[in-house]
């Protein structure tokens, strides 16, 4: 009982995580377009909030917007904040933090004893709808995602406001886009789809192609990942953290 | 129960890793003191690391000779950098040839001011021994050819800085962008050329303009 009490204190300080159980899936762009094995891992149930991120920058002045180095975050970094340690008056603590770079997202997770999820982990967890771990074949699932992609960002939408998926994870679709650890592993140019002429850009370029052209929504995410750089700060791009399971 | 344990351990870790902050604060203070001291001397401007410099990266790398270096150790040189892996059969030999070709076009009196850096995207395979052998094979044993390998995570981070994308697509092969980046003596990126065997005039001219 005493242990549980301590555990709940720790929980109050930390973002709740949920277990995503291991499995296989075929990613849009995979190793030779084969199935990828994803090991069991823990994932934050919600994206990192502005409130949590504020606590973080207060403790880590090097990540405050007047202090941050351009190589790690461009000039859109936290551009919607009032100043170094204050949110905009209209902003809520429970909104997902956005306008954050990959470098800061990575450091935030590290500071929590966590890490960013890999693309494979993120995509694997995000295949789930409310009731099934892999809903990609369902028309309703894809339509929901594409409808969201077409909709402009709703200001001040809070975390946990979209559906809770099979694994107990909220907001993978419908709130903000999210950074992944290996966002810069996406190799997309025209030839990824057409096997076209630009092959001299990549080693083994022909080996990388779309394995699931139907999955337009996933293609959008991969295209987005390939279009950003590590120090970019985008107003609909946030993040959440993941963690290995240690025995 | 196990689940709680994980969370609890996570909590401990957090307390542990975030406690560095007090340390970081003193570090910042120390930095300020240094800055103040150097303001009084003449060197101040040249010694400051700019916001865009790769010298800001804390990562450590191992060279083909087994030396441990940080990017900051390359301060003062013009850098031509590329990311490769030694077991690559297609694009990398051409990238190596491109680097050699660039080096050839730099005038004698400026050659000493330029360092050519190859960063491995396959640190697991590319041990210092392997990098050394690769340098030898390619007759790049002079000091100006530097081959580096880091941790998987630091390599991913360095690629993010260079805007190089790469992915392991089989145990032996990687897809990767072919980009040669030029950095000035302050570690700021000034030029990138993308593609293989492309016209390197601009890259060469950038290096010549920067080198002393």
């Amino acid at each position: 009982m005493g242990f549980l009490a301590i555990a709940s204190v720790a929980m109050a300080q930390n973002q709740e995580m949920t277990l995503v159980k291991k499995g296989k899936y075929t990613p849009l762009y995979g190793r030779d377009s084969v199935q990828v094995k994803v090991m069991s891992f823990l994932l934050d149930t919600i994206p990192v909030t502005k409130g949590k991120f504020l606590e973080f920058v207060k403790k880590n002045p090097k990540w405050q917007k007047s202090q941050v180095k351009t190589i790690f975050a461009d000039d859109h970094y936290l551009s919607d904040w009032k100043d170094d340690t204050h949110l905009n008056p209209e902003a809520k603590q429970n909104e997902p933090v956005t306008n954050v770079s990959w470098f800061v997202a990575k450091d935030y997770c590290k500071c929590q004893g966590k890490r960013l999820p890999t693309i494979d982990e993120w995509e694997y967890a995000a295949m789930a709808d409310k009731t099934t771990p892999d809903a990609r074949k369902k028309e309703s699932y894809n339509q929901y995602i594409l409808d969201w992609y077409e909709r402009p960002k709703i200001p001040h939408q809070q975390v946990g406001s979209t559906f809770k998926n099979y694994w107990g994870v909220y907001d993978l679709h419908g709130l903000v886009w999210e950074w992944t650890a290996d966002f810069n592993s996406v190799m997309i140019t025209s030839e990824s789809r057409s096997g076209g002429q630009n092959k001299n850009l990549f080693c083994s370029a022909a080996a990388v192609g779309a394995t699931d052209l139907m999955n337009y929504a996933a293609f959008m995410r991969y295209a987005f990942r390939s279009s950003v750089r590590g120090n970019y700060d985008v107003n609909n791009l946030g993040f959440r953290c993941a963690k290995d399971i240690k025995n | 129960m196990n689940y709680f344990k994980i969370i609890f351990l996570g909590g401990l870790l957090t307390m542990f890793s975030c406690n560095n902050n007090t340390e970081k604060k003193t570090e910042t203070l120390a930095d300020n003191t240094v800055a103040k001291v150097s303001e009084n001397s003449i060197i101040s401007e040249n010694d400051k690391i700019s916001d865009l410099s790769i010298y800001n990266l804390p990562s450590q790398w191992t060279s083909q000779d087994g030396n441990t270096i940080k990017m900051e150790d390359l301060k003062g040189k013009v850098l031509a950098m590329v990311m490769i892996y030694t077991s690559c059969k297609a694009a990398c030999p051409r990238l190596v040839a491109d680097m050699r070709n660039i080096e050839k076009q730099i005038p004698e009196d400026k050659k000493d001011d330029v360092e050519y850096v190859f960063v491995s995207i396959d640190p697991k395979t590319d041990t210092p021994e392997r990098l050394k052998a690769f340098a030898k094979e390619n007759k790049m044993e002079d000091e100006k050819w530097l081959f580096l390998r880091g941790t998987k995570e630091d390599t991913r981070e360095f690629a993010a800085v260079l805007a190089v994308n790469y992915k392991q697509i089989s145990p032996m092969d990687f897809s990767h962008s072919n980009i040669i980046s030029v950095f000035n003596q302050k570690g700021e990126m000034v030029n990138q050329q993308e593609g293989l065997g492309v016209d390197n005039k601009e890259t060469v001219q950038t290096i010549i303009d920067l080198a002393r």
Side-chain angles (χ1 to χ4, degrees), chain B residues 73-182:
Chain B
D73 298 334
L74 303 172
K75 203 169 176 177
K77 292 250 185 188
V78 177
L79 307 174
M81 286 198 162
V82 70
M83 296 187 85
I84 58 148
Y85 64 108
T86 61
S87 46
C88 166
K89 299 281 178 291
C92 311
R94 294 183 59 189
L95 277 174
V96 171
D98 283 347
M99 288 283 271
R100 193 198 310 280
N101 196 310
I102 291 167
E103 196 276 335
K104 263 186 205 156
Q105 297 177 62
I106 308 302
E108 260 335 294
D109 60 327
K110 296 198 168 185
K111 278 192 193 295
D112 285 350
D113 205 27
V114 192
E115 190 84 13
Y116 302 85
V117 188
F118 299 80
V119 178
S120 170
I121 53 172
D122 185 12
K124 211 171 148 191
T125 314
D126 290 338
T127 58
E129 296 75 34
R130 178 117 184 194
L131 292 173
K132 180 97 182 160
F134 186 79
K136 198 171 175 186
E137 267 165 47
N138 286 285
K139 299 194 172 58
M140 292 174 157
E141 293 181 277
D142 195 292
E143 270 180 10
K144 62 175 164 261
W145 307 103
L146 182 61
F147 294 82
L148 298 179
R149 128 287 194 166
T151 63
K152 209 175 152 187
E153 199 194 329
D154 288 340
T155 307
R156 186 54 76 193
E157 179 177 84
F158 193 66
V161 169
L162 258 55
V164 164
N165 287 19
Y166 67 93
K167 181 181 179 70
Q168 187 161 18
I169 50 166
S170 75
M172 283 300 288
D173 265 315
F174 289 77
S175 282
H176 59 97
S177 2
N178 299 311
I179 297 178
I180 294 177
S181 313
V182 177

Side-chain angles (χ1 to χ4, degrees), chain A residues 217-232:
Chain A
F219 180 78
M220 299 268 287
R221 287 193 296 279
Y222 279 80
F224 181 71
R225 287 173 191 135
S226 79
S227 73
V228 291
R229 291 187 174 195
N231 71 338
Y232 280 15

Side-chain angles (χ1 to χ4, degrees), chain A residues 172-184:
Chain A
L172 288 170
H173 306 291
L175 189 66
V176 286
W177 298 55
E178 298 181 10
W179 281 113
T180 49
D182 52 348
F183 77 99
N184 58 345

Side-chain angles (χ1 to χ4, degrees), chain B residues 56-81:
Chain B
N56 288 304
L57 293 170
S59 47
Q60 293 202 329
W61 304 81
T62 311
S63 75
Q64 75 266 40
D65 294 316
N67 298 324
T68 306
I69 72 156
K70 286 169 82 175
M71 290 303 160
E72 200 183 342
D73 298 334
L74 303 172
K75 203 169 176 177
K77 292 250 185 188
V78 177
L79 307 174
M81 286 198 162

